[in-house]
């Protein structure tokens, strides 16, 4: 069997298109990644002790620290609240796993 020996010219590195450049920084905000989830975290504002651990561990920066005061049923006053940005939360459950007082429940996402 005869093998054809066609010569193929490959481009040199100087001719190749430059990759790995983000020409529009911050564009990930345009992509709502939260629709992947089947479970969603729900924070019980009365149980939450404002320790910020969920904010630290969330891999998607989906826990928001809000200037939203809250008074618990036991009359404890907090100046801030933590809440979930469901547009970006992927439902991994790390926040619920790490919350020291189990103030976060993972509940099924309702599909309409
Ligand atoms: S479930 Fe995962 S992605 Fe969603 S807020 Fe908690 S840690 Fe972040
Ligand atoms: S980890 Fe739990 S207690 Fe701490 S801020 Fe988050 S919800 Fe509140």
């Amino acid at each position: 069997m005869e093998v054809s020996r066609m010569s193929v010219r490959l481009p040199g590195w100087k001719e190749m298109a430059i990759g790995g450049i983000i020409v529009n920084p911050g564009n990930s905000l345009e992509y709502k990644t939260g629709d992947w989830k089947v479970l969603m975290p729900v924070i019980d504002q009365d149980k939450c002790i404002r320790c910020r651990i969920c904010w630290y561990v969330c891999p998607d920066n989906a826990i928001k620290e809000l200037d939203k005061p809250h008074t618990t049923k036991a009359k404890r006053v907090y100046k801030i609240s933590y809440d979930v940005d469901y547009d970006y939360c992927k439902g991994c459950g790390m926040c619920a796993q790490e919350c020291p007082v189990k103030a976060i429940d993972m509940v099924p996402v309702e599909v309409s």
Side-chain angles (χ1 to χ4, degrees):
M1 190 172 82
E2 199 170 304
V3 178
S4 164
R5 292 179 187 252
M6 287 177 43
S7 81
V8 177
R9 186 186 167 279
L10 297 173
W13 68 271
K14 288 182 181 173
E15 299 166 273
M16 295 174 75
I18 296 173
I21 292 176
I22 298 170
V23 292
N24 182 19
N27 63 14
S28 62
L29 288 172
E30 295 166 19
Y31 300 104
K32 309 286 188 206
T33 51
D35 57 359
W36 298 3
K37 62 183 166 294
V38 291
L39 295 174
M40 57 190 273
V42 176
I43 300 175
D44 183 329
Q45 296 297 333
D46 269 23
K47 276 192 194 172
C48 172
I49 57 170
R50 276 63 179 172
C51 69
R52 212 185 220 185
I53 288 175
C54 54
W55 184 88
Y56 280 117
V57 300
C58 176
D60 288 289
N61 195 24
I63 299 281
K64 300 296 170 195
E65 188 176 87
L66 306 171
D67 286 330
K68 187 175 163 189
H70 178 77
T71 304
T72 67
K73 290 184 196 99
K75 303 291 180 217
R76 177 151 190 186
V77 179
Y78 290 108
K79 291 182 181 168
I80 58 170
S81 297
Y82 289 89
D83 214 341
V84 182
D85 186 338
Y86 294 113
D87 279 348
Y88 298 101
C89 166
K90 293 177 190 165
C92 68
M94 285 176 66
C95 53
Q97 180 71 32
E98 297 301 324
C99 176
V101 292
K102 300 298 171 210
I104 304 176
D105 280 332
M106 297 300 292
V107 303
V109 174
E110 287 184 19
V111 181
S112 53

